[in-house]
Amino acid sequence: MAQAAKPVYLIGNWKSHKTLTEAEEFVANYSGTSDHVVAICPPLPFLPRMAELLKDKPLLKLGSQDVSQYPYGAYTGEVAIEMIKDFASFVIVGHSERRRYFNETNAAVAAKARQVIDAGLTPIVCVDEPYLESQLAYFEKNEFERMIIAYEPLSAIGSGKPDSPEEADAMAQKIIQLAAADVPVLYGGSVTAENIASFTACSNISGALVGGASLEVDSWTALVSKVS
Ligand code: PGA
């Protein structure tokens, strides 16, 4: 019997870009179709409006760029998973920018991932070299089975210098071995419409986490169309 094709995830991370009007325009102009899982992660305050606009475009899913490590409570300024879960399918946790600029620790990232899993959403846990093993050590097998991991080498993010597909594939294989679970591993770092297919063709890579190339509807549509 033929093996079912692995699902491919194409996740756009808008980071701290766009006004609400620009986000609305993106959705209005997006008409991409795909057999794969395609999602964008807009800034948090836009999630409810994006969810409303995307009701008739189920092929474009939503994710959050972050979440609180705490549930509802006296945590001023935090956004708890309960506030996100009706609007998003995915939550990025531990992006290297969160780790670097907001001092997120491995323990905090793991606590966030657990909030997401417990709420029934899928965390996209970002990891990088040379900290990979210590970052993964915070999770159990049953948690790996409910998450996606994004491997994002620091030198490749926003630099226009992606990892080679061979290196990224070898890292994805290492992550799957360390996790000892069938966890989807995405590659992230300077992914574009021009290079996406070389990553998704790798046997250990299940898609991409995309920053810059997800910002414009044309570049995002082109990227999505390259993955058949
Ligand atoms: P980039 O960002 O695609 O702009 O390199 C990737 C990321 O930070 O997830």
Side-chain angles (χ1 to χ4, degrees):
M1 202 167 75
Q3 233 190 335
K6 64 178 183 178
V8 174
Y9 301 88
L10 302 173
I11 313 287
N13 172 13
W14 285 355
K15 309 189 179 183
S16 195
H17 289 288
K18 288 194 190 294
T19 62
L20 178 58
T21 304
E22 288 166 347
E24 288 172 339
E25 280 168 9
F26 182 106
V27 171
N29 293 327
Y30 182 76
S31 56
T33 57
S34 174
D35 294 336
H36 302 295
V37 181
V38 180
I40 49 168
C41 305
L44 261 169
F46 304 165
L47 267 181
R49 177 70 180 138
M50 296 288 100
E52 193 184 320
L53 291 174
L54 286 169
K55 267 190 191 134
D56 59 347
K57 293 190 181 177
L59 293 178
L60 188 58
K61 300 191 180 313
L62 285 171
S64 170
Q65 299 175 20
D66 191 25
V67 68
S68 177
Q69 64 180 296
Y70 301 110
Y72 278 143
Y75 305 104
T76 300
E78 288 291 272
V79 179
I81 190 69
E82 289 90 343
M83 302 163 190
I84 293 173
K85 68 176 195 245
D86 292 339
F87 309 113
S89 308
F90 304 98
V91 181
I92 300 171
V93 298
H95 190 282
S96 60
E97 289 153 12
R98 302 283 329 160
R99 294 177 188 266
R100 187 189 317 163
Y101 300 123
F102 306 98
N103 303 317
E104 283 191 10
T105 62
N106 290 340
V109 172
K112 290 179 177 205
R114 281 184 195 115
Q115 290 287 333
V116 179
I117 290 171
D118 290 349
L121 280 70
T122 303
I124 301 172
V125 180
C126 299
V127 299
D128 50 66
E129 275 284 35
Y131 311 109
L132 194 62
E133 300 194 14
S134 53
Q135 290 168 340
L136 294 177
Y138 279 74
F139 298 104
E140 308 284 341
K141 184 175 165 63
N142 69 325
E143 292 168 332
F144 283 123
E145 285 166 351
R146 297 174 67 187
M147 69 171 66
I148 293 170
I149 294 178
Y151 168 62
E152 301 208 298
L154 299 180
S155 62
I157 294 178
S159 65
K161 295 185 185 135
D163 229 6
S164 72
E166 295 74 23
E167 281 167 355
D169 193 45
M171 289 305 302
Q173 185 178 36
K174 183 173 170 185
I175 289 167
I176 292 164
Q177 279 164 0
L178 286 168
D182 192 14
V183 57
V185 179
L186 314 186
Y187 166 73
S190 298
V191 174
T192 62
E194 286 68 43
N195 63 26
I196 179 69
S198 64
F199 291 105
T200 53
C202 296
S203 57
N204 296 291
I205 295 178
S206 296
L209 182 56
V210 182
S214 72
L215 283 173
E216 301 303 328
V217 76
D218 289 349
S219 57
W220 183 239
T221 306
L223 188 151
V224 169
S225 74
K226 292 287 168 57
V227 184
S228 53

